[in-house]
Amino acid sequence: MQRSPQEARPESRTPPSAPSTTPTPAWAAADGSEAAEPIGGLQEYYYELCMEKSQEIKPFILHILQEVDEEIEQGLAGITLNVAGNCHLMPVERVTGEDFWILCRILKNNPYINGLDVKYNLIGDVGASYATELLQEQHNLIYLNLMFNDIGPEGGELIAKALHKNTTLKHLRMTGNKIENKGGMFFAAVLQINSSLEKLDLGDCDLGMQSVIAFATVLTQNQTIKGLNLSRPILYGEQEESTVHLGHMLKENQCLVELHVCKHDIKNCGMKQLCDALYLNRSLRYLDVSCNKITQDGMVCLADVLKKNTTLEVIDLSFNRIENAGANYLSDTLASHNRTLKALSVVSNNIEGEGLVALSQSMKTNPTLSNIYIWGNKFDEATCVAYSDLIHMGRLKSDNTDVEPFVVDGHVYLAEVSNGLKRHYYWTPGYGEACSPSSNAGLTLVPVGQYL
């Protein structure tokens, strides 16, 4: 039976006297080298550090550390310490900057843990300063998730500078931290020096035009970054200058596999800039241009590119306005020319029955397209029957689409199901598999690193 944190460390027990120096972790030998087996455990070390610093002992953290201790006892390695502040399965008290310092001390030189997820907490710029120490001292860490932690430009600068000398971190998520243009410029500068980081997520970070251009410029030379998220920058003007620079980058860069440019206010002119680059690019496999202002004219360019581009496998067009005409352009290309695209999302694009049925018909002649997402458009009975037939004949698997057919009074309807390219980008479910292929198909089809 699994013990609760309170059972593991009763509050009534007399705490040990605080040592005069920082306690030595149980997995480290007296001379500082790593011991072959853990002796005490992370719970014990956390308790001692809290007592030494007169810090409140949080049951939620104790519970998480108990689970990790059990995994270590089973001989598991490559463990991610998940202390997310948005867990709904148990009472959570969010991690502060000082709590984060203790977590960093626990992780220092720990050979069993190589990932840390502290999303949706309150570590702030204080915690960012401790994260810099972690990046400098923990040489096993390959994944760090700091999304939505109230980190500002100063904290972003500290973390970026710590990456100048770090040679192990492969995936960093800064999503939702308002590092602004200043912080973005420091991260762009890092990519000129760092040669280990493979995936960087700066979505919803209030980046400015200057930092977006800086990233596009740096990536013409960087040959390490495989996944980049620059979604929702703060841009002004109607000239779509960012797409000009991103297009030039895609012509030069032959390493980038995954690019997210949601909420860039991209219109048809900007889409043409990206499509012109995709004629020459031979590495990009996942393009996310959701939540923009692309219409049917932009689909003329994309459909033509898909006739010749042989690398794109996932395209996310969700929350644009391609309508029937745009859907028809895509379906014609998918039916007769393209045989490399695996997943297409046209969620909420004001497409009616004609366009949706055309896309379903293209799947009958295209053996490669396996995933299609259509919820949020205008379904008529012909649409419902078409996708019901695809599912029932086995051409479209139920896990590979976001609709499910049902029948009422002899009429077929479609209901929404929780599948998509990145349904769990901002959140994880309260039950079931957090990284299930059906809900995060983009990451399954185009895996860039181990984590979201």
Side-chain angles (χ1 to χ4, degrees), residues 1-174:
M1 179 181 296
Q2 189 179 42
R3 296 182 301 169
S4 66
Q6 289 82 359
E7 292 171 328
R9 173 65 65 181
E11 293 184 2
S12 60
R13 183 178 298 179
T14 304
S17 58
S20 57
T21 59
T22 301
T24 302
W27 56 84
D31 60 358
S33 62
E34 293 174 3
E37 296 291 338
I39 299 172
L42 299 179
Q43 293 179 92
E44 184 74 23
Y45 192 30
Y46 171 72
Y47 186 83
E48 291 174 356
L49 284 169
C50 287
M51 296 304 299
E52 178 190 348
K53 296 295 181 181
S54 300
Q55 188 82 4
E56 178 188 0
I57 297 172
K58 295 189 173 178
F60 173 64
I61 296 179
L62 264 180
H63 176 76
I64 298 298
L65 294 178
Q66 177 186 352
E67 293 180 344
V68 174
D69 279 336
E70 292 172 357
E71 291 179 353
I72 292 175
E73 289 175 2
Q74 295 169 12
L76 301 180
I79 299 169
T80 295
L81 181 60
N82 188 341
V83 197
N86 63 336
C87 177
H88 300 294
L89 299 181
M90 62 185 71
V92 173
E93 190 172 352
R94 296 184 190 267
V95 174
T96 64
E98 295 307 318
D99 294 323
F100 189 67
W101 178 86
I102 292 178
L103 290 176
C104 291
R105 295 297 301 174
I106 290 173
L107 287 178
K108 183 179 178 182
N109 297 325
N110 188 304
Y112 302 96
I113 299 175
N114 66 4
L116 175 61
D117 186 343
V118 289
K119 61 178 175 280
Y120 293 104
N121 282 293
L122 300 169
I123 71 171
D125 288 341
V126 172
S129 66
Y130 298 137
T132 63
E133 298 176 10
L134 179 67
L135 290 170
Q136 292 167 352
E137 298 175 358
Q138 168 58 296
H139 302 298
N140 299 309
L141 196 68
I142 62 173
Y143 171 63
L144 180 59
N145 189 342
L146 299 174
M147 67 185 292
F148 290 98
N149 258 289
D150 204 22
I151 298 173
E154 289 73 22
E157 177 184 350
L158 292 172
I159 293 172
K161 288 183 175 179
L163 292 174
H164 281 228
K165 296 182 180 180
N166 182 281
T167 59
T168 56
L169 192 71
K170 293 185 177 181
H171 185 182
L172 174 63
R173 291 195 70 177
M174 290 289 292

Side-chain angles (χ1 to χ4, degrees), residues 347 372-375 400-404 415-417 419-420 423:
V347 170
I372 189 165
Y373 305 96
I374 61 171
W375 186 257
N400 294 347
T401 186
D402 57 350
V403 293
E404 182 178 21
E416 183 184 20
V417 292
N419 296 334
R423 288 296 287 258

Side-chain angles (χ1 to χ4, degrees), residues 323-370:
E323 301 182 313
N324 278 347
N328 285 327
Y329 292 135
L330 291 176
S331 61
D332 289 344
T333 295
L334 293 172
S336 57
H337 295 86
N338 184 279
R339 290 298 181 269
T340 54
L341 193 70
K342 296 179 181 178
L344 174 66
S345 178
V346 290
V347 170
S348 296
N349 263 275
N350 200 38
I351 306 173
E352 298 176 346
E354 176 192 344
L356 294 170
V357 170
L359 288 171
S360 72
Q361 292 298 320
S362 69
M363 293 194 71
K364 294 181 179 179
T365 57
N366 186 319
T368 309
L369 186 64
S370 60

